[in-house]
Amino acid sequence: MYGWAGIILKVDLTEGKIVKDPLKLEFGKTFLGGRGFNSKIIYDDFDPAVTDPYSPKNIVAISPGVLVGNTLSASRICVSTARSPVTGWFGDGNLGSYSGGELKWAGYDSIVFYGKSDKLVYLHIEDDNVVLKDARHLKGKTVYETDAILKQEFGDPEARVIAIGPAGENRAASAIPLELHRAAGGCGTGAVLGSKNLKAVVVRGTKGAKIARPNALKEAFKTVHKKLLSGPHYPMFSTYGTAGLLDLFNEGGMLPTYNWQDLEVEGVEQVYSTALKEKYSVKMIACLGCAVHCEHYYVVKEGPYATHGSGCEYEVTCGFGPRAGSVKLDATLYINTLLNNLGLDVVQTANWMNTLRHWWQDGLIDESDTDGLIMEWGNMDSTIEAIKRMAYRQGTFGNVLADNIFAFARHIAKKKGIPVEKLIRYIIQIKGMTQSSGDNRLMGAGAALSHATSTRGSDHLRGVNTDLWLVQKTRPEDVWGIPKEMAQKFLDLGLADPGRYENKEVYVAFMEDYCAVVDALGICKRHTAWEGQGISLEDMAEYFNAVTGLNYSWQDLRKCGTRIYNVEKAIQTRYGLRRKDDYPPIRCFEEPVPAGPQKGAILDRQKYDELLTKYYEHRGWTNEGIPTEKTLKELGLQDIATDLKKRKIIEVKK
Amino acid sequence: MERIKVKYLNIYYTITRKKEEFVDFGESPTLRELVDKLATSYRSEFRDNVMDEEGRLKPYAWILVNGMPAKDLEMKLKDGEVVVFSLPITGG
């Protein structure tokens, strides 16, 4: 077997047992790796009747993509998946890392955690030597402290550590596992690990990657590397990182401010990426083997927010900047370091904090609800304090908020006699997952659909992040990273018009499959068509074939992506999600954009409804968004079809 | 006189080392004329990152006119309008 390491590690934390399950080649060929492996493992091994994400019966799967650990720049994504305490549904997060490579080199394609340990432990992996070790001395340690201690104990600075911080130990729902500043962001799998008393995984592998066709890999590397280095995004990301998006969004009238109430905040240039670069960024750093060094290492030398750290992305500069009504970049950087140390997700935490401010603004909460914190716009000191109280579950405020923002809304509703729907309306979310810093009213109908149908809840990383990629494009070769015939189809269907709803289901389904492939291969999306860049699906197939020795076309890869998406959709339907859960936030239909060049823009409910119906038809799903038996069979997912029939989710014809 | 405000983001800022400037024309220029004028002020790198050898807009050049993406280089610019040069980027 080439490409795959050949073993799935199954760790029973209750019994303290570790089983090395041989990976079946067929499983690799069918689900590729990373997100694909996790989704099928969760489908097969997790009982959907278990609704509590903190039940010992929840499962956490952590898997690097199949291309992780070889020479492809940007192939280092490790995916962490579980039933999410953020949303209550299926959830995962991508960890751009070094540890994914170490895992592969040690000989493992996945780690799956079952049960719950009776004391805090960590998993030690040194090639074939895999043991659970006592982690009680790590209790309460931050992610960075844990990393330093475990590396020292391991005795090898090359060892890599995936850890949770105090937030994960305390089951704060937005807690995530991190490798230092590299975060498996999104769905709170760190809190699930915490509930299992699993503090960390420390891993070192020395076996190397198993490559089927080294010479073909060398050639594929040359092509891709040249594309990356000669493209305009290389200097852009290597200089400004994703923080550069804030400048563009503001100039383009798309920057959400004050929890999506406005598009302006005074002094916004103070949080531009150019300001970050000039005032605080010391150097740029990269993930394992990546040519693009897109992460800032920053230092705030003095003042109340003196700090240093890494990985300042757009989501933090916007989420704890303009969306919070703040332009204090030093405070934002302080918060970024704090979140990384406590082990909290940026996007969810920012949204929760900004929702609190919005409620505060409208008089729905006050000091009596926040244990004395003043949650006014731009007050970043109260934000810092609120984050700490949430991570440590301090006081009623911190304890309830740690359960998640919906739990806090229910708490306030009951306490104050306010209808809970009134409070939830303020939260920009889909399926319980709060949104990244884009605006569904402004990114195009395709992006709105893609965010809404995303299998992990609102997500720009699951498909189309913006329809705007296609604007200005008249020739298929200009649509980078997309196979020519698909690009031509997009242009023929008139998809370059972001305001258009018709035919957008074609674009969305393709990009959802595409992103599933990228996540299963373990490639950073920043280098692909998702970001308008040049690593194409054809390049991925070439790489995949060189590594595994198979002969997949891009269409074969896409079919794997479709399959993975259907597995995830089936998981969500088993949890009870239906059509009503595939809609953008209600405010996008009811509150027009208040300013900027697209003033008045709003989503059209009827047109969206029609688009969603078309999307389901295109996917081969029912009008309620349930994969049909025919669709599942065509994808080789007969076992899932049988299971859904047994559960009466797919109707059995009499 | 027609005065156009020009802003430079990311790689265009790296090339020009200016965040913004005003560019004057006797009469309403097209976007192409603006680019031509800017190309004389800055290294050829500027033009190379806006249009190809045949004078077509580069697929990655993201030019905003008053906040909206320009569809082609022939569009007319008016006094007081704001033109932003950027790469199209997203995701954080």
Side-chain angles (χ1 to χ4, degrees), chain A residues 526-597:
Chain A
R526 204 159 290 158
H527 304 259
T528 69
W530 177 85
E531 187 74 271
Q533 288 223 63
I535 298 186
S536 67
L537 211 44
E538 292 98 323
D539 293 328
M540 291 179 213
E542 211 169 306
Y543 241 96
F544 177 77
N545 293 337
V547 168
T548 62
L550 299 171
N551 289 299
Y552 275 36
S553 62
W554 72 259
Q555 291 91 341
D556 294 329
L557 278 185
R558 186 193 172 177
K559 191 168 181 182
C560 291
T562 313
R563 186 179 296 122
I564 294 165
Y565 217 79
N566 274 268
V567 172
E568 292 170 353
K569 188 67 180 174
I571 292 174
Q572 293 289 39
T573 58
R574 242 176 25 165
Y575 292 165
L577 297 187
R578 295 292 182 268
R579 183 186 180 103
K580 66 177 172 33
D581 302 296
D582 286 345
Y583 280 78
I586 192 166
R587 286 172 54 196
C588 297
F589 292 108
E590 296 179 1
E591 295 176 16
V593 171

Side-chain angles (χ1 to χ4, degrees), chain A residues 33 66 95 139 149 258 462 483 505 511 526 569 618:
Chain A
V66 60
L95 178 72
K139 188 168 173 55
I149 293 168
Y258 299 97
R462 217 72 169 181
E505 72 278 5
M511 287 307 296
R526 204 159 290 158
K569 188 67 180 174
H618 186 74

